[in-house]
Each structure stands twice: as C-alpha cells, then as structure tokens.
Amino acid sequence: QVQLVESGGGSVQPGGSLRLSCAASGFAFRFYVMGWYRQAPGKQRELVARITSGGNSNYADSVKGRFTISRNNAKNAVYLQMNSLKPEDTAVYYCNRLDIQDYWGQGTQVTVSS
C-alpha cells in the first residue's frame, strides 16, 4: 500500500526557513516524478515544486528562488527546503507522485506569522 509521511513543519516568522521531509513507501519510488503540494484553508491544493527521477526540478512562480526540492532515491525520500518564508506560504504541505494520486498523507502544517 502506498504510504506518504510528511514531517518538518512548524511555526516561523516571516523571512525564516524550514526543511520539510517526505518518506515514501509502497511503490518503486526511484522511477517516479515527485512533487510537493500545499493547501490553505478554503483554497485549492496547489503544486509548488516537482522533481524527476533524475533530479530535474520545476517550481511554481510563487516560490521560485525561495524553495528547493531534492530527493534521495536510496532513502525513498523527497525534501523541500523553504527559505525567505512569507505569510502567504502558510498551508498544509503534502508530497505525492504526479502520475497517480489515489492516496494523500496527513501533510505537515507550515505557519508563517509575526
């Protein structure tokens, strides 16, 4: 069964940093494009970053230059380094594969406020 476990969220002030981690299991992780998504209350889920099996990455304009996605295929893990955080980054952050999304993990809460 697919399992996705996000961690590393917390509460920070504007301009702060967080590093999110995602542990994946139940599928051949190293072969799939992975992404980080976020969802704020009352808003649609948004893809903020993606990374191919070979390590090529892409970002939403809203986070470009501030966030960095990476992966460690030997550990079945994907990470999101978040710098220069803004209040509008406040959301629950999720990881998932981009081809099939039948299952979502619990996510990890990121709160950016003064």
Side-chain angles (χ1 to χ4, degrees):
Q1 182 181 11
V2 171
Q3 188 172 4
L4 300 161
V5 182
E6 300 92 347
S7 62
S11 182
V12 298
Q13 294 184 343
S17 296
L18 287 170
R19 181 175 170 85
L20 308 184
S21 297
C22 170
S25 62
F27 62 99
F29 176 87
R30 66 189 183 278
F31 296 127
Y32 292 95
V33 179
M34 297 293 295
W36 281 97
Y37 301 77
R38 67 186 182 188
Q39 187 167 30
K43 298 185 181 296
Q44 287 189 286
R45 187 163 46 230
E46 171 192 21
L47 177 67
V48 299
R50 65 191 294 275
I51 186 166
T52 69
S53 60
N56 294 118
S57 59
N58 299 95
Y59 302 90
D61 288 341
S62 59
V63 308
K64 193 172 298 182
R66 301 187 297 118
F67 291 8
T68 302
I69 189 171
S70 61
R71 67 192 295 163
N72 186 328
N73 288 336
K75 296 182 177 181
N76 283 10
V78 60
Y79 309 96
L80 188 68
Q81 179 66 47
M82 309 165 67
N83 298 328
S84 302
L85 283 162
K86 304 175 180 179
E88 49 264 45
D89 295 319
T90 296
V92 178
Y93 284 72
Y94 304 87
C95 64
N96 217 325
R97 52 195 287 184
L98 268 67
D99 61 332
I100 302 174
Q101 300 173 343
D102 293 330
Y103 173 84
W104 294 87
Q106 289 293 310
T108 185
Q109 176 71 49
V110 171
T111 302
V112 186
S113 66
S114 299

